[in-house]
Amino acid sequence: MVLMSRIDRALPALGNMFVLGLAALSLAACAPKGPSRPPCPPGKVCIQAGNVAEPVSLDPHKITGVWEDRIVSNLLVGLTEADPEGNAVPGMAERWETTPDGLVWTFYLRDADWSDGVPVTADDFVFALRRIMSPQTASEYASLLYLIKNAQAVSEGKAPKEALGVRAVSPKVLEITLEHPAPYLPQLAKHQTMYPLPRHVVERLGDKWVTPGNYVSNGPYVVTDWKLGDYVKIVKNPRFYEADKVCVDEIYLYPTSDATMAERRVLRGELDMNADIQSNRIAFLREKAPQYVRTHTYLGVTYLAFNSSVPAFRDKRVRVALAMAIDRDFITQKLLRGGQKPAYTFVPPGVANYEPAKPPAWAAWPLEKRQAEARRLLAQAGYGPGRPLKIEIKHRNTPDPMLFMPAIQADWKAIGVDTALAQNEAQIAYAAFRSRDFQVADAAWIADYNDAMSFLYLQQSATGAQNYGDYRNPAYDALLAKADNEPDAKVRAGYLAQAEQMMLDDAPVAPIYFYVNKNLVAPKVTGFVDNIVDQHRARYWCVAGSRTAPAAPAAPKG
């Protein structure tokens, strides 16, 4: 009975999607057989890749999306780098050491050049770290590096850039001093916020340094063309320190917000891969083209953020009522069907050295009981049939939100809430979230490094733009600070779990589900390894049959 009533409530929107899906299949059946793709120069290896969304920038200090990182991480290399399994391995730093208290780290750089032939030095890292902390840069990701000594004070304009705890001991030795021990620093060092910048170019050209023709790289690729709304083209950097190990010469990366269209393009041979699959298509594709489907456990969570400037959301009862009324089992098992798991906590399972907080008690209740309690809480807060709560969810127009947003709308209608849906391109939606131009935000977060702090810091008062709902709780902040300064990993994990429990009780966000990563990859592409962080550096890719490429792998089983 519950399943039928849930389907009935979601049918108006889902029926339209079903019709569109049939139309898409018909188009696929009538599509031309031959591939349509840019020609690859003779003797070269080329890949065409779907990249979900249009980048806002290629400046590592001005990006926040994984679709942007997929490009920039092939242009720039940090102190560490992701290996095919997504692990942190030596990048620009050949080795590193830390003092016994874990506060001072020394990185020893390899000999390497920028793509214009100028040597990469420790000063390029110092310049980049000072730039991302500069109030003039206004980087939305600056708070991720507040673990560096004096970083927050510099970012807030309360200290000069020279106070930042970074210095070039010599051209090939970089020293970083931290506010507190951070054993995960090598993982964080492969994040875009810690990439070096070519100081000699950025100081001369300013923000224009990121345009094709000006962009100077230290990574395996350089950007040669960017046609807005069409593609970004990157080509092999002959001055990369391991250029002899890079197989693919040219890569086109396309914004592919329509996952079904991208799926057809991959199966037709127009694209070699796409960085997403519409979740409810995975089962079908595993039947029809199993060797293309790549899914894996992922350190990511989809959630709703409540804007604390909206009067209704200042009442905890309203936030809790909305969170408990969402039927996560229906969303994950009946709509998405891609292996996602219902989320009642914020930190995903599988995060290193962490035992997640306990889900709220209502997570175990039947949906009908949760709905009844949600109506009671709303009535206590002053909302009901005579005065319905009216709100808007601003959401991404990417495949999965387009599927589950009508279901949440139906869930909230069942408890008397009048909900409007406003869809936006992903980058536009996130820009609105960061500027607080929303009531309820449909957001997702992927770990920047494998640690619970990568999720919990989002709700920290000092985080700024990415704390979308402006949650502020001094007790929560204090627990995170205690965790930062705790050397014992088990005790530290306990502080983090307490903080997560406190935040879940306050309900500034409503977790929806935990991610799986989903890629569609042609079997001829080699070197693409499924991993928990969904990081796939193009320097490891090749195409079966080209040069010394290995044979294509067997069809993946998971």
Side-chain angles (χ1 to χ4, degrees):
M1 290 295 293
V2 173
L3 177 60
M4 284 303 296
S5 64
R6 290 291 291 105
I7 292 176
D8 289 343
R9 284 185 276 129
L11 267 180
L14 297 179
N16 291 336
M17 293 177 187
F18 181 71
V19 172
L20 290 173
L22 289 178
L25 287 174
S26 299
L27 286 172
C30 300
K33 298 293 184 181
S36 173
R37 51 192 289 161
C40 188
K44 300 292 185 180
V45 180
C46 303
I47 279 183
Q48 313 290 317
N51 192 36
V52 181
E54 179 74 26
V56 171
S57 174
L58 299 182
D59 185 330
H61 297 167
K62 298 185 178 181
I63 62 174
T64 59
V66 291
W67 59 92
E68 294 154 338
D69 178 63
R70 290 190 198 104
I71 303 172
V72 176
S73 64
N74 288 308
L75 306 176
L76 299 170
V77 173
L79 294 166
T80 60
E81 169 66 306
D83 71 3
E85 288 78 27
N87 301 311
V89 295
M92 286 301 300
E94 293 182 304
R95 60 186 178 89
W96 50 88
E97 60 192 27
T98 184
T99 52
D101 61 6
L103 294 180
V104 181
W105 291 68
T106 304
F107 295 88
Y108 299 89
L109 307 186
R110 69 173 72 243
D111 291 329
D113 292 334
W114 292 102
S115 55
D116 61 0
V118 175
V120 181
T121 68
D123 189 56
D124 291 316
F125 282 92
V126 173
F127 171 76
L129 290 168
R130 288 176 174 176
R131 179 178 183 262
I132 193 172
M133 287 302 155
S134 168
Q136 286 70 41
T137 302
S139 174
E140 292 157 358
Y141 241 138
S143 60
L144 185 66
L145 301 182
Y146 281 1
L147 77 168
I148 299 176
K149 189 171 181 62
N150 297 324
Q152 184 172 353
V154 173
S155 178
E156 294 175 352
K158 298 175 181 177
K161 63 182 182 181
E162 292 79 11
L164 188 67
V166 295
R167 71 184 185 102
V169 177
S170 72
K172 294 298 179 183
V173 179
L174 175 71
E175 182 182 274
I176 299 179
T177 303
L178 305 182
E179 292 280 0
H180 54 77
Y184 52 82
L185 185 63
Q187 292 189 59
L188 181 56
K190 65 184 172 74
H191 190 262
Q192 72 249 22
T193 51
M194 291 190 68
Y195 289 163
L197 294 182
R199 179 175 184 172
H200 63 289
V201 176
V202 179
E203 287 189 330
R204 178 169 53 89
L205 298 177
D207 289 342
K208 293 182 179 179
W209 81 275
V210 296
T211 58
N214 291 339
Y215 205 116
V216 173
S217 307
N218 74 320
Y221 292 90
V222 294
V223 60
T224 60
D225 200 6
W226 180 4
K227 294 192 180 301
L228 196 64
D230 192 355
Y231 63 80
V232 174
K233 180 183 178 183
I234 61 177
V235 302
K236 183 176 174 180
N237 174 14
R239 287 195 168 98
F240 177 55
Y241 59 83
E242 289 186 342
D244 59 324
K245 298 179 181 179
V246 177
C247 172
V248 180
D249 298 290
E250 294 186 357
I251 302 174
Y252 287 77
L253 297 111
Y254 301 90
T256 50
S257 59
D258 185 335
T260 306
M261 176 66 76
E263 171 193 315
R264 297 202 301 270
R265 293 179 67 190
V266 172
L267 298 182
R268 284 200 303 245
E270 294 176 16
L271 296 177
D272 299 305
M273 61 179 69
N274 190 56
D276 197 10
I277 307 172
Q278 186 163 302
S279 289
N280 64 350
R281 300 277 297 165
I282 290 176
F284 168 79
L285 288 168
R286 281 188 172 138
E287 290 278 333
K288 300 300 181 182
Q291 67 272 37
Y292 284 78
V293 178
R294 313 290 288 268
T295 64
H296 195 277
T297 304
Y298 199 14
L299 295 183
V301 61
T302 286
Y303 65 101
L304 300 180
F306 303 115
N307 191 335
S308 61
S309 69
V310 176
F313 298 146
R314 294 173 191 155
D315 191 322
K316 174 181 171 180
R317 294 169 297 188
V318 173
R319 302 192 302 268
V320 172
L322 294 173
M324 69 169 49
I326 298 170
D327 190 347
R328 294 160 177 81
D329 290 326
F330 178 78
I331 290 172
T332 56
Q333 297 171 22
K334 303 301 180 182
L335 291 182
L336 300 181
R337 295 176 289 150
Q340 297 88 346
K341 301 297 182 184
Y344 298 96
T345 59
F346 197 67
V347 179
V351 168
N353 303 312
Y354 186 66
E355 288 294 328
K358 295 180 180 178
W362 53 259
W365 297 353
L367 179 62
E368 292 86 350
K369 182 177 178 179
R370 283 163 36 198
Q371 289 174 332
E373 177 63 10
R375 293 187 198 101
R376 188 186 70 82
L377 289 172
L378 288 174
Q380 282 187 352
Y383 299 100
R387 185 183 174 232
L389 176 62
K390 297 182 179 182
I391 55 179
E392 178 188 83
I393 304 176
K394 187 164 288 187
H395 70 90
R396 301 158 289 160
N397 70 347
T398 46
D400 289 354
M402 294 294 287
L403 276 176
F404 69 76
M405 276 300 151
I408 292 178
Q409 183 182 40
D411 288 333
W412 287 356
K413 182 178 181 181
I415 61 170
V417 177
D418 185 356
T419 307
L421 301 179
Q423 61 173 284
N424 290 259
E425 295 287 339
Q427 62 271 44
I428 295 172
Y430 279 112
F433 303 162
R434 292 189 293 268
S435 65
R436 310 306 189 249
D437 179 21
F438 71 94
Q439 294 181 331
V440 181
D442 151 51
W445 189 255
I446 308 303
D448 294 313
Y449 50 96
N450 190 354
D451 190 89
M453 188 66 81
S454 184
F455 292 90
L456 298 179
Y457 100 100
L458 285 176
Q459 313 307 326
Q460 201 168 19
S461 299
T463 292
Q466 292 177 320
N467 179 358
Y468 302 134
D470 282 324
Y471 175 62
R472 298 183 185 280
N473 184 333
Y476 178 81
D477 296 343
L479 281 168
L480 294 189
K482 287 179 73 173
D484 280 338
N485 290 283
E486 176 53 59
D488 185 291
K490 187 174 182 179
V491 175
R492 176 179 181 270
Y495 290 142
L496 293 175
Q498 288 179 51
E500 183 181 11
Q501 198 73 61
M502 182 179 295
M503 185 264 290
L504 292 172
D505 290 344
D506 286 343
V509 298
I512 308 299
Y513 62 83
F514 295 124
Y515 265 92
V516 290
N517 57 54
K518 306 165 292 175
N519 292 277
L520 206 59
V521 184
K524 68 178 181 179
V525 177
T526 62
F528 188 103
V529 179
D530 301 323
N531 60 68
I532 198 169
V533 290
D534 201 28
Q535 292 179 348
H536 310 281
R537 305 309 193 218
R539 61 180 290 192
Y540 305 116
W541 300 349
C542 202
V543 176
S546 63
R547 294 207 285 262
T548 57
K557 298 179 180 179

